[in-house]
């Protein structure tokens, strides 16, 4: 296959690849308003609010006190009308609008709002999943989320495109507060010896799993996460969570390196990033050989050691270019490095979408970069005399965008 044909075949295979998105903050249509969608939710995404507030034209308190549509007006004015929208989050808005055939240079925010208002929730979900190529996605389902948990009925899991993940940050990062909530729900978590009643806590996990059928358990952990005796949450992670994962066969997704609320006034946008010892991941994988770990880390400086660690542990699947890493320059750097170290045995991306429409741009942008990396790797192979066929390319692309994920989280 010559270079021109190779590039065409790779681009086509990637463009048409169906996606299993292993981490999002979306909700199924039955959750109605919980599922964020449309231009005002896109513009008031926390990535864009903090970018707007950097210009200091309005203070955070005053800004967040405004209704969502006025916040969106300000963001549009500051980041798009009076400056070129060169950031990745801004470009994402334009890619998304463009995919709907909307031209923001000629249409007003008002007419764009009208476009979205005319989409019913079900139509909107179908349209975005079709445009983005996402066949199924995994949500973030926190049993302590008072808004979401009441939706956890049979309707919550009937749409196969929306799979669940049991998010247990609270149990690991603020165990005392979590235990209080468990007691309020009738779980007697304090053993009579004054310690923690681990079986009662495991029962809580199993009861939650019975309700939402998660494909994995998940937790985001701080940079100082350290898998060592006596560290915060160590006992619960070892004797409740990992023990439950081993018994149930459910993987655990660990998202490591977030410094929660380094600037609280920014709300969801107030989190920061910190370097984290990858050794903790290696120890976890070594001491729990029968548990499947999906791991992503937030610091750019952690990526190489994480990929090297994954070479040592078949029960460690590295996934995504998370959050502050989901920028073209870093997605390319990290994907190249992972492919050179791990071949095709990693999950290159997840969207982390919080707004339905974001699936379109987050995947379009990532697919473009992953296609370029793959093309270069095939070119490198051709220079050794190894020719890939169109079938080889289709097989490899399927692994990266859905096959590896399906195998990890046990979906068809
Ligand atoms: O912990 C997480 O799931 C993070 O992805 C979120 O807390 C974060 O706000 C986010 O959406 C990043 O993209
Ligand atoms: Zn997330």
């Amino acid at each position: 296959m010559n270079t021109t044909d190779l590039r065409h075949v790779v681009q086509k295979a990637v463009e048409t690849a169906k996606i299993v998105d292993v981490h999002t903050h979306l909700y199924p249509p039955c959750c109605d308003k919980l599922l964020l969608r449309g231009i005002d939710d896109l513009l008031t995404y926390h990535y864009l609010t903090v970018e707007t507030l950097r210009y200091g034209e309005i203070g955070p308190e005053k800004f967040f006190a405004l209704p969502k549509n006025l916040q969106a007006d300000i963001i549009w004015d500051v980041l798009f009308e009076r400056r070129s929208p060169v950031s990745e989050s801004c470009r994402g808005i334009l890619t998304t609008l463009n995919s709907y055939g909307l031209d923001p240079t000629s249409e007003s925010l008002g007419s764009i709002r009208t476009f979205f208002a005319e989409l019913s929730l079900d139509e909107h979900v179908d349209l975005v999943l079709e445009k983005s190529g996402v066949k199924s996605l995994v949500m973030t389902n926190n049993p302590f989320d008072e808004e979401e948990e009441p939706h956890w009925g049979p309707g919550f899991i009937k749409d196969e495109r929306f799979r669940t993940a049991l998010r247990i940050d609270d149990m690991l990062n603020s165990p005392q507060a979590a235990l209080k909530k468990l007691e309020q729900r009738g779980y007697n978590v304090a053993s009579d010896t004054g310690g923690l009643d681990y079986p009662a806590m495991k029962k809580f996990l199993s009861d939650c799993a019975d309700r939402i059928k998660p494909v994995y358990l998940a937790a985001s952990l701080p940079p100082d996460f350290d898998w060592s005796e006596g560290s915060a949450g160590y006992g619960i992670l070892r004797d409740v969570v990992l023990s439950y994962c081993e018994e149930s066969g459910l993987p655990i997704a660990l998202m490591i390196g977030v410094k929660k609320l380094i600037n609280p006034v920014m709300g969801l946008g107030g989190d920061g990033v910190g370097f984290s010892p990858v050794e903790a991941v290696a120890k976890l994988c070594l001491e729990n050989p029968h548990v499947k770990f999906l791991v992503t880390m937030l610091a750019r400086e952690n990526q190489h050691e994480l990929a090297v660690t994954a070479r040592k542990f078949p029960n460690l699947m590295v996934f995504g270019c998370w959050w502050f890493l989901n920028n073209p320059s870093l997605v390319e750097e990290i994907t190249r490095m992972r492919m050179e170290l791990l071949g095709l045995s990693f999950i290159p991306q997840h969207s982390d979408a919080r707004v339905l429409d974001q699936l379109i741009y987050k995947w379009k942008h990532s697919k473009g970069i992953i296609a370029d990396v793959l093309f270069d790797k095939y070119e490198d192979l051709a220079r050794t005399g190894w020719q890939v066929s169109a079938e080889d390319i289709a097989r490899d692309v399927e692994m990266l965008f859905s096959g590896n994920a399906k195998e990890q989280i046990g979906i068809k």
Side-chain angles (χ1 to χ4, degrees):
M1 201 183 303
N2 67 37
T3 297
T4 312
D5 292 346
L6 178 63
R7 184 173 287 282
H8 174 73
V9 170
V10 171
Q11 275 176 344
K12 196 87 192 110
V14 171
E15 247 165 57
T16 56
K18 286 298 177 200
I19 297 158
V20 171
D21 191 342
V22 292
H23 174 60
T24 76
H25 297 267
L26 301 176
Y27 291 100
C30 70
C31 290
D32 196 14
K33 291 269 173 292
L34 271 187
L35 174 58
L36 302 180
R37 63 193 182 105
I39 189 63
D40 288 316
D41 284 326
L42 280 169
L43 285 170
T44 54
Y45 182 38
H46 66 75
Y47 290 32
L48 287 165
T49 57
V50 295
E51 286 176 32
T52 302
L53 292 170
R54 281 188 50 69
Y55 292 102
E57 297 179 18
I58 180 171
E61 293 84 354
K62 196 158 168 241
F63 176 83
F64 288 116
L66 295 171
K68 191 184 288 187
N69 64 319
L70 293 186
Q71 291 181 20
D73 289 345
I74 291 172
I75 291 168
W76 185 255
D77 176 51
V78 170
L79 297 183
F80 293 80
E81 298 279 4
R82 290 188 288 121
R83 295 168 178 88
S84 300
V86 290
S87 77
E88 181 58 7
S89 320
C90 284
R91 178 172 77 110
I93 300 274
L94 302 180
T95 300
T96 303
L97 294 178
N98 183 268
S99 80
Y100 289 126
L102 297 170
D103 174 3
T105 56
S106 63
E107 309 206 35
S108 69
L109 261 188
S111 64
I112 294 171
R113 283 174 172 135
T114 306
F115 166 80
F116 284 106
E118 285 165 359
L119 282 174
S120 76
L121 178 52
D122 286 318
E123 280 168 350
H124 202 166
V125 168
D126 294 346
L127 182 61
V128 171
L129 294 186
E130 194 272 324
K131 277 185 179 294
S132 61
V134 172
K135 183 165 171 285
S136 58
L137 58 89
V138 185
M139 303 184 271
T140 297
N141 307 110
N142 178 353
F144 302 115
D145 181 325
E146 314 289 334
E147 268 196 305
E148 174 195 340
E149 195 263 344
H151 288 276
W152 283 17
F156 192 69
I157 52 176
K158 81 173 182 343
D159 188 332
E160 279 276 296
R161 300 170 298 177
F162 292 78
R163 311 306 293 255
T164 61
L166 186 55
R167 186 67 180 257
I168 52 162
D169 295 26
D170 296 342
M171 279 180 87
L172 299 182
N173 299 331
S174 18
Q176 292 316 321
L179 296 177
K180 272 212 176 359
K181 290 177 185 171
L182 262 65
E183 283 179 326
Q184 287 159 3
R185 295 193 189 178
Y187 293 88
N188 179 12
V189 293
S191 72
D192 41 26
T193 57
L196 295 176
D197 183 337
Y198 287 156
M201 298 169 75
K202 233 193 268 184
K203 173 89 173 54
F204 169 71
L205 291 181
S206 141
D207 291 348
C208 288
D210 288 346
R211 291 175 69 191
I212 65 169
K213 312 281 184 256
V215 293
Y216 59 69
L217 271 64
S220 93
L221 297 167
D224 60 0
F225 168 69
D226 169 23
W227 172 245
S228 62
E229 192 87 37
S231 58
Y234 175 84
I236 294 176
L237 180 55
R238 187 189 59 192
D239 299 330
V240 179
V241 177
L242 293 178
S243 156
Y244 176 71
C245 286
E246 190 154 350
E247 286 163 15
S248 64
L250 284 175
I252 181 160
L254 298 176
M255 306 168 70
I256 308 170
V258 55
K259 282 183 181 168
K260 294 305 277 183
L261 298 178
I262 59 171
N263 187 359
V265 76
M266 294 297 186
L268 272 179
D271 296 337
V273 55
F275 181 86
S276 190
V278 180
E279 191 189 346
V281 175
K283 283 194 284 183
L284 265 175
C285 294
L286 183 67
E287 293 172 25
N288 302 276
H290 306 300
V291 174
K292 285 197 288 191
F293 291 92
L294 283 153
V295 175
T296 196
M297 296 184 84
L298 193 49
R300 175 191 188 189
E301 298 75 10
N302 277 134
Q303 302 309 318
H304 181 254
E305 187 180 354
L306 178 61
V308 169
T309 304
R311 286 167 60 89
K312 314 306 164 188
F313 295 99
N315 60 331
L316 171 54
M317 176 61 77
V318 172
F319 76 94
C321 299
W322 183 27
W323 203 338
F324 308 116
L325 300 175
N326 193 0
N327 297 313
S329 57
L330 296 176
V331 172
E332 175 168 1
E333 173 189 281
I334 294 167
T335 304
R336 278 188 192 284
M337 181 263 294
R338 285 173 176 171
M339 206 169 283
E340 289 156 1
L341 278 171
L342 303 172
L344 296 165
S345 64
F346 66 104
I347 298 171
Q349 191 56 295
H350 66 276
S351 70
D352 225 327
R354 280 183 177 273
V355 181
L356 176 65
D357 310 89
Q358 289 173 338
L359 290 177
I360 294 171
Y361 85 81
K362 285 180 182 261
W363 280 108
K364 185 174 172 61
H365 292 180
S366 294
K367 275 190 165 184
I369 297 163
I370 296 164
D372 287 347
V373 173
L374 256 180
F375 168 75
D376 285 353
K377 293 303 159 196
Y378 289 139
E379 280 269 270
D380 290 346
L381 291 183
R383 278 188 274 277
T384 71
W386 182 282
Q387 292 293 337
V388 287
S389 68
E391 292 71 24
D392 297 337
I393 295 168
R395 173 203 59 203
D396 299 347
V397 166
E398 191 274 342
M399 273 183 227
L400 289 174
F401 287 97
S402 59
N404 290 347
K406 282 189 219 171
E407 202 183 301
Q408 282 298 310
I409 63 179
I411 63 171
K412 296 268 172 287

